[in-house]
Amino acid sequence: MREVAVIGTGMTRFGELWDSSLRDLCVEAALGALTSAGTDTLDSIYLGNMSAGQFVAQEHLGPLMADYLGMAGVPATRVESACASGGMALRSAFLEVASGMSDLVLAAGVEKMNDGADVTGVLATASDQEVEVYYGVTFPGLYAMIARAHMEKYGTTEEDLSWVSVKAHRNGARNRKAQFRRAVSLEEVMSSSMVAEPLRLLHCSPVTDGAAAVLLCPLERAREFTDRPVKILASGAASSTLSLSHRKDPADLDAVELSGRRAYKMAGLAPSDIQVAEVHDCFAIAEICCYEALGFVEQGKGKDAARDGLTDLGGKIPVNTSGGLKSKGHPVGATGIAQAVTIVEQLRGEAGESQVEGARIGLTQNMGGSGASSVVHIFQGV
C-alpha cells in the first residue's frame, strides 16, 4: 500500500443554513478543498451522506455532486453508515489512493437536516426498526439508556455529563464555523430541559446543515500541492450489533474500542501517543464512553476527564477542540469529514485560538447509530 496524505480541506459554516441547498453546500466544501490544494482535477469522489432521500428527497448524490462541481465523468460514490457516513467516505478514499488505483481523491460529507423532515424519525432509521423503533425508542432514549448503564456501573452523575457540554461550548465559542458560538455554565446545562432522563437539552447535539471535504493524494506527490501535507497513518473500522439491547454491556462501545485498536495497530502507536482528538459526542455520554473505548482513560474513569481538565485545551489529551458535535454542530453525513478538517488544521498549526501547541499526532473517531459502526483515523503532520 502507498502512503497517503491530506493536501487540501474545505468546510462550510455549520448551522441552520436556510439560504443554501444540499448541492450548494457540497460544492462550497469541495471547492474549498480543491482551491487550498491549488488543483482543479480529480480522479474520484466519495460523498458521505446518511439520509438525503428523506431529508430533502434527493438520492443519487455522487453524480449530482460531480455535475455541480463541474466534473461530470469523474466516478463519484455515495457512502452511507448513518452518522459515520463521513468517516467511512474518508476511509474509502484513503483505500483507493493507498491501493494505487487513483491519485487525487476527494472525500466529502454533507447533510441538509433543517428543510422540514421529521428529524427524529429520519435519525431513527439508524437503529433497529423491529427491536427498537417499533416500541417508540428514539436516539436520545438510546443514549439515555447508555448513560443509565454507565451511571449504574461506574457512579457517573448528571454533573459529570454536564462538564462535557461545558467544555464543548467553551471550545465551540472559539470556532468561527460552529453552530453555537457561546460558552455555557454548568448551571445552564443542568437546568436545561429534560429530553430523555438523564439527558438534558444541553447534553445533546443539535440539528445541523453543513458540508466538509478533504483532498487526498499519495504522500510522494503531496509537496506538489502543499508545503504542509498531513499523512494518514491508519484507518480502522468495526461494527457492533445494531440493537443496543443485543450488546453484552450497553456502557461499553465495543465497535469504538475495536476500530481504535485496529487503527493503533496499523499506525504502530498507542493511545498515549495521541496529542489531539476529535471524537463522536452526539450526546455527552458518548464522549465519556469514547474516552474509555479509545484508551485515553481507564474504563470507568471517563466521567472525571472533562471535570478534571484532562481533555480540555491545555490538558493531557485535548478532545473536541472544535466544539465537537455538541457545539460545532452535527450534520450527520458531514461530521466525520469535519473532524478530519479540524485535526488537519491542528497538525498544520492553523487552529488559531484552539491550537494545541506542538501537536504532531491526531485522531478522529466517527460513530453511527448507538455505536453500531465506528471508524478511527490517525494523522501525522509531516
Side-chain angles (χ1 to χ4, degrees), residues 253-264:
L253 296 179
D254 53 352
V256 178
E257 181 179 358
L258 184 54
S259 60
R261 195 183 321 144
R262 287 170 175 164
Y264 292 136

Side-chain angles (χ1 to χ4, degrees), residues 50-51 54 80 82 118-139 142 241-246 369-370 372:
M50 177 181 166
S51 290
Q54 295 187 77
E80 185 279 318
D118 174 8
V119 175
T120 299
V122 174
L123 294 178
T125 62
S127 56
D128 193 313
Q129 293 293 310
E130 294 184 7
V131 175
E132 295 172 329
V133 181
Y134 178 80
Y135 296 98
V137 176
T138 63
F139 265 101
L142 288 169
T241 65
L242 189 61
S243 169
L244 185 63
S245 65
H246 291 168
S370 58

Side-chain angles (χ1 to χ4, degrees), residues 43-270:
D43 296 328
S44 184
I45 298 169
Y46 288 93
L47 180 62
N49 176 266
M50 177 181 166
S51 290
Q54 295 187 77
F55 282 128
V56 295
Q58 180 66 64
E59 300 284 9
H60 215 180
L61 297 186
L64 180 74
M65 181 175 181
D67 178 17
Y68 277 79
L69 193 55
M71 295 192 179
V74 172
T77 305
R78 173 192 172 184
V79 179
E80 185 279 318
S81 187
C83 303
S85 298
M88 291 298 185
L90 175 57
R91 176 176 168 85
S92 298
F94 166 76
L95 292 172
E96 181 161 333
V97 175
S99 73
M101 179 172 286
S102 300
D103 276 4
L104 290 171
V105 180
L106 187 76
V110 67
E111 210 75 57
K112 193 77 171 67
M113 302 175 70
N114 281 291
D115 282 16
D118 174 8
V119 175
T120 299
V122 174
L123 294 178
T125 62
S127 56
D128 193 313
Q129 293 293 310
E130 294 184 7
V131 175
E132 295 172 329
V133 181
Y134 178 80
Y135 296 98
V137 176
T138 63
F139 265 101
L142 288 169
Y143 277 90
M145 293 180 195
I146 293 173
R148 273 290 166 212
H150 206 276
M151 289 173 162
E152 178 68 23
K153 190 170 183 179
Y154 300 117
T156 306
T157 67
E158 187 180 318
E159 185 173 328
D160 295 329
L161 302 177
S162 300
W163 279 111
V164 174
S165 299
V166 170
K167 173 182 70 69
H169 278 266
R170 184 165 57 241
N171 290 342
R174 294 185 288 258
N175 183 352
R176 61 185 179 85
K177 293 188 176 180
Q179 183 165 359
F180 296 125
R181 294 192 65 193
R182 79 174 181 92
V184 297
S185 68
L186 183 67
E187 292 72 26
E188 284 180 277
V189 179
M190 295 188 70
S191 63
S192 61
S193 303
M194 190 66 73
V195 175
E197 199 275 335
L199 299 180
R200 296 183 178 273
L201 182 63
L202 289 179
H203 295 137
C204 309
S205 59
V207 175
T208 312
D209 305 328
V214 293
L215 183 59
L216 310 185
C217 83
L219 181 61
E220 63 189 20
R221 290 193 59 193
R223 298 285 178 182
E224 297 175 26
F225 305 97
T226 178
D227 58 359
R228 287 174 293 183
V230 172
K231 181 180 176 182
I232 302 179
L233 294 177
S235 176
S239 63
S240 184
T241 65
L242 189 61
S243 169
L244 185 63
S245 65
H246 291 168
R247 294 181 207 160
K248 181 179 179 181
D249 184 352
D252 177 18
L253 296 179
D254 53 352
V256 178
E257 181 179 358
L258 184 54
S259 60
R261 195 183 321 144
R262 287 170 175 164
Y264 292 136
K265 181 178 179 180
M266 184 176 182
L269 297 173

Side-chain angles (χ1 to χ4, degrees), residues 1 19 101 108 167 232 250 263 312 351 353:
M1 291 177 64
D19 294 332
M101 179 172 286
K167 173 182 70 69
I232 302 179
D312 207 350
E353 295 179 74

Side-chain angles (χ1 to χ4, degrees), residues 252-337:
D252 177 18
L253 296 179
D254 53 352
V256 178
E257 181 179 358
L258 184 54
S259 60
R261 195 183 321 144
R262 287 170 175 164
Y264 292 136
K265 181 178 179 180
M266 184 176 182
L269 297 173
S272 58
D273 295 312
I274 304 302
Q275 297 167 309
V276 60
E278 291 284 308
V279 308
H280 198 95
D281 62 324
C282 50
F283 298 89
I285 186 61
E287 181 167 327
I288 288 172
C289 291
C290 287
Y291 294 158
E292 298 170 356
L294 292 168
F296 296 157
V297 298
E298 295 178 17
Q299 200 72 30
K301 300 294 186 182
K303 62 185 179 63
D304 305 315
R307 178 202 300 267
D308 294 345
L310 179 76
T311 54
D312 207 350
L313 190 64
K316 182 179 179 181
I317 170 66
V319 174
N320 291 341
T321 60
S322 67
L325 287 58
K326 173 66 198 75
S327 179
K328 177 185 61 184
H330 184 25
V332 288
T335 288
I337 302 293

